[in-house]
Amino acid sequence: MSLKDTCIVTIDDTPSIRTFLKISLENKGAKVHEAANAQAGLKLVQDVSPDVVILDLGLPDKDGLDVLPEIKQSSGVDHTMQVIILTVRKERQVQETAFERGADAYVTKPFLMEDLLETIEERVNASH
Amino acid sequence: MDQGKQQHTIVCIDGHPKTMMLLRIAARRAKDTGCTWSALFVETPNFYRNDESLREQILRFLTAAKEMGASIHQIEANDIVSGVREHLKECEENGTLPTHMLLGETKRDGIWALLNPSTARKIERALHHRIELRTVPLTRDHEVPETTLASTAIRQSVKLSEIGYGLLAVFIAYLATETLRMVVPRIVFLLNDHNVSLIFLIACAFTAGRYGLIPGLIASLTSFFAINVFYIEPLYQLRLTGPTEAINLLLFLFAALILSLFGSYNRAHARAIAQRARRTQALYDIQTVVSKATTRSEAFTLLYERMQKWISMDLAYFLPNALSPDDLEAAIPEEVALDALSLKARDLCWQELRATGAGTPIIKEAAWRFEPMATELGDIGVLGIKIRNARNLDAAFGKLHAALAQKSAIILERLELAQEIQETRISEEREKLRAMLLSSVSHDLKTPLASIIGSLSAYHSMYDSLPDEQKRMLTATALDEAQRLDSFISNILDMTKIESGDIRFKREWCSPDEIVATVAKRLRQRLTHHTLTIERLKDRIEVEADQMLLEQVVQNLLDNAAKYAPAGTEITVSMTIDDHDAFTFSVRDRGQGIPDGEQDAIFDKYTRLKKTDSKVAGTGLGLAICKSIMEGMKGSIAVYNHEKGGAVFQLKLHNWRDADEARKEKIA
């Protein structure tokens, strides 16, 4: 699979996670922008208008669930931006809330990189 | 009989020994017909001059009536009839008018019955139109004479000193008279029979009013003889010359007697009022105690001290033994000497939760009186009062004792409930924190695992397409995170061990230099973005500590510094001896420092949890463990902000030595 021409923003406060995500996604041809907290993440999304946002929930300044609606709102006229939640939290309640607020996919940590790539591919295809 | 009204019988209690029979009849009747009943005691001013046994008896009757299910009423009045009338009026206002009244009647015959009707008759005459009366004939066997003004006068108990004072008053009157006679010339004031008797009359009135009836009477008699001997012809003799003197003297005596009677009557009344006021005050003050006490033992002590003072009687609180709740033990005072009867009464009181002892129908010969302290929520204990002499006992006393017991019970219960609430709150808090800790730990374990699994799965699935440099990065990340995970797990295990007291601190001489070197090497990967500077001491120093644990602390500190310090900045490790001769190990970063006020909280394992953000994984436990370890080694750890920015963590250990000297000693 290829993620050529796909613009992805990753928002996660753990550096090592951002590292392997960037390596993997760029290896597949995507253009990756990183942010370490909700504030920076939101700004980044507004600036680059990515196709995919990978959002961690345990961010230092704000809960990912709270910034999710704002991120989704800056989706642009075509509303095709896909938001994939990436988190340690497994509770059903959290999942439901995430989807209510506009999440397009929910992946729990730890995960296999190939699985995440598959999910991204699915979402990208679905949005087109 | 009114159909719609609830039947209610009222029984008048007086000192007649057959009253018990009346009460039982009323109780039985109430039970059979399913109606309620009450007992009324009319307190007349006579009452306070009755003898002890009578007062005690009335108290017993009232207590017994209460136990048989009656509601107790007490009313003050000048005489019984008006008292009953007053009470009925009150009942009418409250809507609880009794429908029947039970009276005891002693037989009186003939003319005497007409001239001096019994109380029952009197009541009957006064109230028959308002209430259905039923008189129960009582036989004459152990008749107690009706309490009239005269009869009670003689039975009043008297103190010898009071009689002495009476005689003294008469003597002073005599002195006054003599002084007047000698000092004041005849022209101004003629001392004759009239003034003399008046002067002595003053003495009698004073004595009666101050000391009571008997001293008053004695003073009157003494004055009578004094006047006769010293002032009436023939002088110094008891004989009288004529009828005038005799009549005058008798008039004097009569006046003196009347004065004595009324004087003592007033005195009794005044004392009754004072006593009543004191008791009301006692009950009121207990409320104040309620608000002040914060612990059970404090409440007990306050209650005990207060009450001892007010009622000026020995009292004692008894509480159930913690191990065998059926047995009582003295709570305050800690040692109480109870005679066998009182002991029995006390235990019975606790078993059956009713008043026992002096002045009650149960074990009335005991020296103490006991009331149970019980509330709806439970039985708390027993309050005992030592009855010094039964003179202090009257109907109101039983009420007072019961009220004191009840108030004490409420206070103690309230305190216990407050404590329970506190404990529940604390354990709830603890549970909440524990849950938070668990979820935090779970998060902190999963995040490094996610990095490891993610990195390695990426390496594995994209092996062919990844450039070498990136392959290296992925494996380095995985390794790094695996180490972090290891460190984190160690922290948790150590924390558990420390908290359960399992950890044994070794005492060995170790080199701080070596420790820093080992840790720096171990954390090489994580410290790549920072510059590590180590400032050593001139001489080689050894500290007495547990080497492995000290390494762990140093590692935690360096790890933290690496996390918090921005990339590219310096981390400084320095070792010094401070002013108090303690070995000091410091780690300084150039990060943002610790917010004010949190320098202590940061070492608390729950600190990170209480804040909603989760800054960096693993810092929560790490510092808490450092603190536990340092304290376990009799050292210390603290943090402060460096004036030029950044946080400085400082370890201190007191046992250190010069390494070279030590080696020299060993060789030598």
Side-chain angles (χ1 to χ4, degrees):
Chain A
M1 70 159 288
S2 167
L3 287 172
K4 197 162 182 300
D5 298 331
T6 314
C7 178
I8 304 181
V9 164
T10 59
I11 310 175
D12 194 308
D13 65 331
T14 312
S16 49
I17 297 205
R18 292 199 303 270
T19 308
F20 81 78
L21 280 179
K22 189 163 202 236
I23 292 176
S24 312
L25 295 171
E26 280 181 348
N27 184 263
K28 291 291 174 187
K31 182 103 180 50
V32 178
H33 302 271
E34 295 177 328
N37 59 56
Q39 193 93 319
L42 181 60
K43 186 162 188 311
L44 198 53
V45 168
Q46 285 162 343
D47 289 342
V48 308
S49 293
D51 304 301
V52 178
V53 177
I54 298 179
L55 176 62
D56 173 29
L57 291 185
L59 297 169
D61 53 345
K62 205 178 188 181
D63 190 326
L65 284 175
D66 294 332
V67 78
L68 173 56
E70 294 171 70
I71 289 176
K72 254 321 224 184
Q73 260 180 356
S74 40
S75 179
V77 185
D78 49 357
H79 301 291
T80 56
M81 181 174 79
Q82 299 291 296
V83 178
I84 300 175
I85 302 292
L86 199 63
T87 180
V88 295
R89 305 189 63 183
K90 294 200 299 216
E91 301 96 78
R92 173 172 307 174
Q93 184 62 32
V94 182
Q95 284 193 44
E96 281 175 6
T97 314
F99 281 113
E100 272 168 34
R101 295 192 188 182
D104 299 292
Y106 195 95
V107 178
T108 54
K109 298 177 186 170
F111 58 89
L112 293 170
M113 194 60 221
E114 52 259 46
D115 291 343
L116 179 60
L117 286 171
E118 217 175 281
T119 307
I120 295 175
E121 194 182 14
E122 245 174 68
R123 291 281 101 221
V124 169
N125 291 343
S127 67
H128 289 140
Chain B
M1 219 182 329
D2 289 14
Q3 295 291 22
K5 232 183 345 170
Q6 160 78 332
Q7 280 201 55
H8 182 91
T9 308
I10 185 167
V11 176
C12 284
I13 290 187
D14 66 1
H16 200 286
K18 292 278 181 176
T19 304
M20 211 54 177
M21 194 173 93
L22 264 183
L23 293 175
R24 274 189 234 115
I25 292 172
R28 209 183 313 131
R29 186 164 190 268
K31 200 169 89 173
D32 291 341
T33 59
C35 68
T36 51
W37 68 290
S38 56
L40 172 68
F41 172 63
V42 181
E43 205 176 288
T44 58
N46 287 341
F47 183 64
Y48 279 95
R49 289 163 42 237
N50 285 341
D51 71 356
E52 307 133 29
S53 58
L54 193 61
R55 272 194 274 205
E56 199 188 349
Q57 204 165 29
I58 296 210
L59 182 57
R60 246 185 288 133
F61 290 153
L62 284 173
T63 318
K66 186 158 166 216
E67 278 171 20
M68 290 195 257
S71 53
I72 308 292
H73 300 280
Q74 197 171 318
I75 194 165
E76 276 175 58
N78 285 326
D79 62 81
I80 298 191
V81 180
S82 48
V84 174
R85 203 183 271 135
E86 184 68 41
H87 175 74
L88 289 179
K89 195 160 75 159
E90 270 176 34
C91 290
E92 205 173 17
E93 283 166 14
N94 295 341
T96 58
L97 191 64
T99 50
H100 296 76
M101 178 183 266
L102 218 56
L103 287 172
E105 186 188 5
T106 56
K107 278 181 114 202
R108 277 165 196 260
D109 302 313
I111 301 179
W112 193 239
L114 281 171
L115 287 177
N116 184 10
S118 65
T119 314
R121 273 276 142 240
K122 281 191 222 154
I123 293 177
E124 205 175 354
R125 262 196 245 154
L127 304 166
H128 71 272
H129 57 282
R130 300 179 70 197
I131 192 171
E132 196 173 305
L133 287 160
R134 206 186 124 196
T135 48
V136 176
L138 310 170
T139 62
R140 261 183 175 251
D141 294 341
H142 308 282
E143 202 169 295
V144 170
E146 274 198 11
T147 55
T148 63
L149 214 55
S151 60
T152 55
I154 302 168
R155 265 183 267 115
Q156 191 187 25
S157 49
V158 173
K159 278 206 222 140
L160 221 56
S161 58
E162 292 174 345
I163 297 177
Y165 285 128
L167 293 173
L168 183 66
V170 174
F171 183 65
I172 290 175
Y174 172 70
L175 281 178
T177 319
E178 289 303 304
T179 313
L180 268 176
R181 188 198 279 180
M182 272 189 264
V183 165
V184 178
R186 270 190 173 231
I187 319 157
V188 178
F189 173 70
L190 178 68
L191 203 68
N192 58 29
D193 297 350
H194 310 298
N195 342 36
V196 169
S197 34
L198 286 174
I199 294 173
F200 279 90
L201 215 53
I202 293 171
C204 297
F206 172 78
T207 309
R210 189 84 171 74
Y211 300 112
L213 186 63
I214 302 290
L217 289 176
I218 292 180
S220 307
L221 283 172
T222 317
S223 304
F224 171 80
F225 285 116
I227 298 173
N228 187 348
V229 168
F230 295 115
Y231 300 103
I232 294 189
E233 303 286 337
L235 292 177
Y236 306 111
Q237 282 181 46
L238 276 174
R239 262 189 322 115
L240 297 165
T241 46
T244 328
E245 282 84 4
I247 292 173
N248 279 342
L249 216 48
L250 282 173
L251 280 174
F252 166 81
L253 188 61
F254 189 60
L257 286 174
I258 301 281
L259 266 176
S260 299
L261 272 169
F262 281 113
S264 69
Y265 176 99
N266 276 335
R267 174 174 168 267
H269 211 247
R271 282 179 93 191
I273 291 174
Q275 198 167 27
R276 187 169 303 269
R278 253 188 296 131
R279 285 180 179 169
T280 314
Q281 181 67 21
L283 286 172
Y284 176 75
D285 276 355
I286 288 185
Q287 298 290 18
T288 342
V289 173
V290 172
S291 53
K292 279 195 209 152
T294 50
T295 66
R296 186 182 244 221
S297 53
E298 208 186 313
F300 263 132
T301 317
L302 278 171
L303 277 171
Y304 177 71
E305 286 169 8
R306 280 292 159 90
M307 290 214 253
Q308 281 269 75
K309 207 165 49 146
W310 296 323
I311 62 179
S312 356
M313 287 191 229
D314 287 334
L315 57 86
Y317 279 102
F318 299 93
L319 291 179
N321 185 308
L323 296 170
S324 55
D326 286 332
D327 300 324
L328 287 174
E329 56 185 17
I332 185 166
E334 278 156 24
E335 299 264 337
V336 183
L338 287 178
D339 60 283
L341 269 179
S342 298
L343 212 59
K344 201 161 142 214
R346 183 200 70 177
D347 291 338
L348 205 60
C349 173
W350 180 235
Q351 272 169 40
E352 306 195 5
L353 294 177
R354 61 210 304 228
T356 61
T360 71
I362 306 167
I363 312 182
K364 55 183 182 241
E365 309 85 16
W368 288 68
R369 188 178 192 278
F370 299 97
E371 280 276 348
M373 297 192 289
T375 65
E376 287 132 20
L377 294 178
D379 311 324
I380 308 224
V382 163
L383 171 60
I385 299 183
K386 184 169 186 185
I387 312 298
R388 240 184 298 119
N389 58 37
R391 191 214 305 210
N392 287 324
L393 278 187
D394 59 9
F397 182 80
K399 265 194 187 169
L400 177 70
H401 193 179
L404 290 175
Q406 202 210 17
K407 289 268 158 71
S408 308
I410 291 174
I411 293 170
L412 297 169
E413 185 184 68
R414 184 196 66 112
L415 285 172
E416 210 159 285
L417 286 174
Q419 198 171 350
E420 254 178 55
I421 291 173
Q422 179 93 336
E423 281 171 9
T424 312
R425 214 182 291 145
I426 289 175
S427 76
E428 271 176 12
E429 273 284 322
R430 215 181 284 143
E431 267 317 301
K432 222 187 286 170
L433 281 177
R434 203 168 298 199
M436 280 167 77
L437 187 64
L438 193 62
S439 92
S440 163
V441 164
S442 156
H443 175 282
D444 290 343
L445 287 173
K446 289 214 169 148
T447 306
L449 268 179
S451 302
I452 295 168
I453 293 176
S455 303
L456 290 180
S457 61
Y459 181 97
H460 185 83
S461 61
M462 297 186 269
Y463 185 81
D464 299 316
S465 54
L466 279 170
D468 280 348
E469 200 211 305
Q470 304 220 307
K471 277 196 191 123
R472 224 170 287 139
M473 263 207 94
L474 286 174
T475 48
T477 305
L479 189 60
D480 199 27
E481 290 299 295
Q483 283 176 322
R484 169 171 291 150
L485 191 56
D486 173 40
S487 156
F488 188 69
I489 292 173
S490 296
N491 273 351
I492 297 178
L493 290 175
D494 286 336
M495 200 66 201
T496 320
K497 263 193 260 171
I498 288 174
E499 286 200 327
S500 65
D502 259 352
I503 218 159
R504 204 79 60 77
F505 292 95
K506 280 208 285 251
R507 289 174 55 183
E508 50 198 351
W509 291 105
C510 31
S511 158
D513 293 334
E514 279 176 30
I515 290 177
V516 175
T518 313
V519 171
K521 196 161 159 196
R522 206 181 289 152
L523 297 181
R524 192 184 44 228
Q525 190 82 321
R526 261 180 270 171
L527 291 170
T528 47
H529 303 290
H530 302 90
T531 327
L532 184 64
T533 318
I534 303 176
E535 290 169 11
R536 292 185 175 79
L537 281 162
K538 253 199 303 149
D539 306 312
R540 287 197 333 126
I541 297 290
E542 284 180 345
V543 284
E544 198 183 26
D546 184 315
Q547 178 160 337
M548 199 175 73
L549 292 176
L550 188 56
E551 256 180 45
Q552 196 161 338
V553 173
V554 172
Q555 184 167 324
N556 267 334
L557 292 182
L558 279 178
D559 202 21
N560 276 358
K563 279 181 218 151
Y564 278 110
T569 57
E570 182 183 322
I571 298 176
T572 317
V573 170
S574 45
M575 291 175 262
T576 54
I577 306 290
D578 74 359
D579 302 328
H580 301 283
D581 202 38
F583 173 77
T584 309
F585 184 96
S586 319
V587 176
R588 184 190 161 197
D589 65 64
R590 274 28 167 218
Q592 287 195 333
I594 311 298
D596 271 328
E598 294 197 16
Q599 281 96 339
D600 288 324
I602 205 175
F603 293 104
D604 174 26
K605 76 172 179 250
Y606 293 119
T607 300
R608 185 165 63 105
L609 303 174
K610 288 188 198 147
K611 293 201 263 225
T612 51
D613 60 278
S614 50
K615 284 212 156 25
V616 192
T619 36
L621 278 183
L623 286 174
I625 289 181
C626 291
K627 181 160 182 237
S628 298
I629 292 175
M630 288 313 295
E631 282 173 1
M633 296 196 295
K634 305 283 190 290
S636 66
I637 183 170
V639 67
Y640 65 90
N641 289 332
H642 197 273
E643 54 203 5
K644 297 210 194 97
V648 183
F649 281 86
Q650 262 188 354
L651 305 173
K652 286 195 196 270
L653 287 163
H654 298 278
N655 282 1
W656 60 273
R657 68 181 186 188
D658 192 305
D660 297 318
E661 302 235 348
R663 202 171 344 123
K664 276 190 217 146
E665 273 176 35
K666 246 194 262 178
I667 296 172

mmCIF file of all heavy atoms in Angstrom, chain B residues 49 220 233 340 357 445 501:
data_model
loop_
_atom_site.group_PDB
_atom_site.id
_atom_site.type_symbol
_atom_site.label_atom_id
_atom_site.label_comp_id
_atom_site.label_asym_id
_atom_site.label_seq_id
_atom_site.Cartn_x
_atom_site.Cartn_y
_atom_site.Cartn_z
ATOM 1 N N ARG B 49 -40.716 20.004 103.034
ATOM 2 C CA ARG B 49 -40.421 19.818 104.443
ATOM 3 C C ARG B 49 -40.751 18.414 104.903
ATOM 4 O O ARG B 49 -40.690 18.111 106.079
ATOM 5 C CB ARG B 49 -41.173 20.866 105.252
ATOM 6 C CG ARG B 49 -40.510 22.220 105.001
ATOM 7 C CD ARG B 49 -41.288 23.441 105.376
ATOM 8 N NE ARG B 49 -41.959 23.333 106.622
ATOM 9 C CZ ARG B 49 -43.267 23.505 106.741
ATOM 10 N NH1 ARG B 49 -43.991 23.786 105.693
ATOM 11 N NH2 ARG B 49 -43.833 23.397 107.921
ATOM 12 N N SER B 220 -37.782 31.288 119.922
ATOM 13 C CA SER B 220 -38.987 31.899 120.496
ATOM 14 C C SER B 220 -39.112 31.539 121.969
ATOM 15 O O SER B 220 -39.362 32.409 122.816
ATOM 16 C CB SER B 220 -40.236 31.417 119.754
ATOM 17 O OG SER B 220 -40.092 31.613 118.371
ATOM 18 N N GLU B 233 -41.274 41.807 136.195
ATOM 19 C CA GLU B 233 -41.266 41.646 137.649
ATOM 20 C C GLU B 233 -41.898 40.323 138.023
ATOM 21 O O GLU B 233 -42.896 39.931 137.423
ATOM 22 C CB GLU B 233 -42.057 42.778 138.301
ATOM 23 C CG GLU B 233 -41.522 44.152 137.933
ATOM 24 C CD GLU B 233 -40.229 44.461 138.639
ATOM 25 O OE1 GLU B 233 -39.997 43.849 139.700
ATOM 26 O OE2 GLU B 233 -39.451 45.291 138.140
ATOM 27 N N ALA B 340 -21.735 -4.009 96.981
ATOM 28 C CA ALA B 340 -22.331 -5.153 96.269
ATOM 29 C C ALA B 340 -23.707 -4.841 95.703
ATOM 30 O O ALA B 340 -24.008 -5.164 94.549
ATOM 31 C CB ALA B 340 -22.392 -6.354 97.200
ATOM 32 N N GLY B 357 -31.702 1.149 91.540
ATOM 33 C CA GLY B 357 -30.962 1.713 92.667
ATOM 34 C C GLY B 357 -31.831 2.588 93.540
ATOM 35 O O GLY B 357 -33.057 2.478 93.557
ATOM 36 N N LEU B 445 2.588 1.599 32.041
ATOM 37 C CA LEU B 445 3.170 0.353 31.544
ATOM 38 C C LEU B 445 2.875 0.184 30.061
ATOM 39 O O LEU B 445 3.685 -0.331 29.292
ATOM 40 C CB LEU B 445 2.601 -0.841 32.314
ATOM 41 C CG LEU B 445 3.087 -1.040 33.739
ATOM 42 C CD1 LEU B 445 2.303 -2.144 34.412
ATOM 43 C CD2 LEU B 445 4.570 -1.377 33.752
ATOM 44 N N GLY B 501 7.055 -2.720 54.163
ATOM 45 C CA GLY B 501 8.142 -2.869 55.121
ATOM 46 C C GLY B 501 9.095 -3.995 54.807
ATOM 47 O O GLY B 501 9.898 -4.386 55.653
#
